[in-house]
Amino acid sequence: MGTTAFERCVGDVGGFLDHYWGQAPLHRPGSGTDAFADVLTLEDIDSLLAERGLRFPALRLVKDGATLAPSTYTKRARLQSRNLDDVIDPGRVYEHFSQGATIVLQALHRYWSPLSHFCRELELALTHPVQVNVYLTPPSSRGLDIHYDTHDVFVLQVSGVKHWAVYGEAIHYPLAHQKREGKITDPGEAQIDVELKPGDCLYIPRGFLHGAETVERESAHLTIGILSYTWRDVIDALMGDVDHQVFLRESLPPGFARANEKLLEQIPAKLQEFARWAGGRDPQEIADKLTRKFWASRPPVLTGQLQQILNLDQLDDSSLVRRRRGATCHVDIKRDDGLTLLLGDRTLHLPASLEPVVRYLLGRAEFRIEELGDHLDAGSRLVLVRRLIKEGLLEQDLGG
Ligand SMILES: [Mn+2]
């Protein structure tokens, strides 16, 4: 391997960004049947279905364009003193599958660590959030009707074969709520018409119509969804400050809803005032807000953290420490009150004096704690490293 997650999806990243990203679908033939075996196999899916005790809607079933009622494949279970009525019944899931239903495993990046890492790598490359679903379709079946999605997707074929058709754009850059209701009967001519084989990747930008069905064989694929930030988010970031603007807090003219002349008269001036205010905003401040939004909302990947916590008291100056795989950290020094580390789901405030040592340790693949000696005394460096291990940013080398 040695290639990045992004390259595994699109090949040449530069060419993809120039010619396809947000513009056009792309089919990329794969490098063989085992191309995605390290992230998910059919055996893995089998074990996820049968052994994980999943609850709806982590798994759902669709058939011929319709979602099956969860009550037909869930069961009741008692846990502690609680009655759960949404526990997936694997036996009934397999029965539905035998009768043509597609199994959808939702948000696998949350609990299947090879996919957590794959998605994390991809989202760090894009700095747009990424999620993944798995679709397992029996032979001669169709899961969803022709539709478009409101986020870009990479379809990665894991096993079996599926026939895909990608048509033109139904709506340019749809947002999450801009879905189309009702059946699409005339999607127009297909731009891509292909049998997706193991190792293949298909990129479908949001808004592009597509449909898929299996023929002779079953099919298992990953759909990686890219939940892009848009310019709408820039406006949202701007609007966060609007409440501080007195000129917008002024009440509308009394009686405006009965006779609106006064309102009509005042709107253009207010909009101009708003445009002046918006135009005078510091772009850096807005960019920083969006940057923080990404780095402060990444779910942690805490594989092995139990061992880390149990071995904290073994840490000494000679301990080898490294950045935890998949851990995110953004150093925010814009604030006056010290150093802020955005660690995905948590924010860590440290004294500003620690900036050089934090930069040092973030810049290294791995290091021994004694290497921090130029910056911190023996006690302080142990305290800092221990804290960063607890926060999930670093991990101690526990020797195999
Ligand atoms: Mn789709």
Side-chain angles (χ1 to χ4, degrees):
M1 253 160 273
T3 44
T4 65
F6 200 5
E7 286 167 336
R8 291 175 71 184
C9 293
V10 305
D12 169 31
V13 167
F16 170 77
L17 292 176
D18 286 348
H19 300 114
Y20 297 97
W21 172 250
Q23 302 170 45
L26 168 71
H27 169 237
R28 184 169 170 265
S31 49
T33 46
D34 291 335
F36 300 117
D38 60 318
V39 286
L40 194 75
T41 63
L42 204 55
E43 291 72 33
D44 294 333
I45 297 174
D46 213 4
S47 130
L48 285 165
L49 287 180
E51 299 164 0
R52 287 290 170 123
L54 296 178
R55 294 172 65 185
F56 181 83
L59 181 153
R60 59 192 182 90
L61 298 176
V62 292
K63 190 178 177 183
D64 298 328
T67 299
L68 299 186
S71 59
T72 66
Y73 56 91
T74 52
K75 59 184 176 185
R76 279 171 198 280
R78 210 170 152 77
L79 193 62
Q80 284 276 42
S81 56
R82 275 188 69 191
N83 288 316
L84 312 177
D85 58 4
D86 55 7
V87 177
I88 299 298
D89 183 340
R92 291 166 85 193
V93 169
Y94 290 125
E95 256 171 57
H96 279 295
F97 179 75
S98 306
Q99 289 159 20
T102 289
I103 299 169
V104 188
L105 293 169
Q106 307 261 116
L108 234 70
H109 58 289
R110 297 216 180 116
Y111 63 96
W112 184 251
S113 77
L115 278 173
S116 314
H117 288 297
F118 191 87
C119 288
R120 175 53 42 85
E121 214 187 305
L122 196 54
E123 70 182 6
L124 290 182
L126 294 164
T127 75
H128 289 296
V130 155
Q131 62 170 24
V132 64
N133 293 342
V134 171
Y135 292 78
L136 181 63
T137 306
S140 309
S141 302
R142 187 170 54 85
L144 299 169
D145 286 328
I146 290 174
H147 66 281
Y148 64 81
D149 294 301
T150 57
H151 50 259
D152 290 15
V153 298
F154 292 123
V155 176
L156 307 182
Q157 190 71 17
V158 167
S159 126
V161 177
K162 198 167 200 175
H163 177 252
W164 284 80
V166 186
Y167 308 90
E169 206 176 28
I171 167 174
H172 203 41
Y173 298 151
L175 296 175
H177 63 280
Q178 293 169 325
K179 295 194 172 104
R180 185 190 286 184
E181 305 298 333
K183 247 188 161 57
I184 291 160
T185 47
D186 180 22
E189 202 174 318
Q191 298 186 16
I192 288 179
D193 195 325
V194 74
E195 298 264 299
L196 218 59
K197 298 189 181 66
D200 284 11
C201 177
L202 183 63
Y203 168 69
I204 308 173
R206 62 190 155 123
F208 278 73
L209 293 170
H210 56 276
E213 57 193 12
T214 54
V215 187
E216 279 152 22
R217 287 195 58 189
E218 88 296 344
S219 160
H221 75 258
L222 301 166
T223 292
I224 297 183
I226 301 149
L227 309 175
S228 304
Y229 295 115
T230 67
W231 287 97
R232 180 76 171 71
D233 294 292
V234 172
I235 301 303
D236 280 346
L238 190 67
M239 296 309 274
D241 292 336
V242 133
D243 292 356
H244 301 296
Q245 304 313 311
V246 174
F247 76 95
L248 289 171
R249 301 210 302 248
E250 187 187 346
S251 305
L252 297 183
F256 79 92
R258 202 175 334 103
N260 55 24
E261 293 83 11
K262 272 202 172 147
L263 183 62
L264 285 172
E265 199 182 292
Q266 291 176 21
I267 283 175
K270 278 292 181 193
L271 288 183
Q272 269 173 23
E273 200 173 352
F274 175 76
R276 259 199 313 277
W277 169 76
R281 307 286 297 146
D282 179 6
Q284 187 66 54
E285 223 171 85
I286 298 170
D288 287 348
K289 266 194 185 179
L290 289 161
T291 299
R292 281 189 206 112
K293 191 172 172 172
F294 175 77
W295 294 108
S297 59
R298 298 306 88 226
V301 183
L302 292 174
T303 314
Q305 181 68 344
L306 182 61
Q307 289 300 324
Q308 290 296 323
I309 289 169
L310 292 173
N311 286 284
L312 269 183
D313 55 3
Q314 287 188 17
L315 270 189
D316 62 32
D317 236 8
S318 66
S319 300
L320 189 61
V321 175
R322 69 176 71 91
R323 181 89 169 259
R324 164 182 287 283
R325 191 175 164 220
T328 59
C329 179
H330 181 73
V331 181
D332 199 352
I333 47 163
K334 290 247 153 37
R335 306 188 181 189
D336 307 327
D337 55 344
L339 179 66
T340 301
L341 300 187
L342 301 179
L343 300 172
D345 67 338
R346 60 192 67 198
T347 302
L348 189 59
H349 298 288
L350 297 171
S353 59
L354 288 178
E355 194 198 332
V357 66
V358 167
R359 298 253 184 224
Y360 177 90
L361 61 85
L362 288 176
R364 268 157 190 72
E366 55 180 31
F367 61 93
R368 295 201 185 273
I369 295 177
E370 61 201 5
E371 286 176 50
L372 308 182
D374 288 348
H375 304 279
L376 289 174
D377 64 54
S380 306
R381 53 192 187 245
L382 264 185
V383 169
L384 177 66
V385 170
R386 203 174 280 144
R387 179 72 194 273
L388 295 180
I389 289 174
K390 277 195 199 163
E391 301 289 353
L393 176 62
L394 299 177
E395 64 182 12
Q396 182 183 177
D397 177 57
L398 295 172

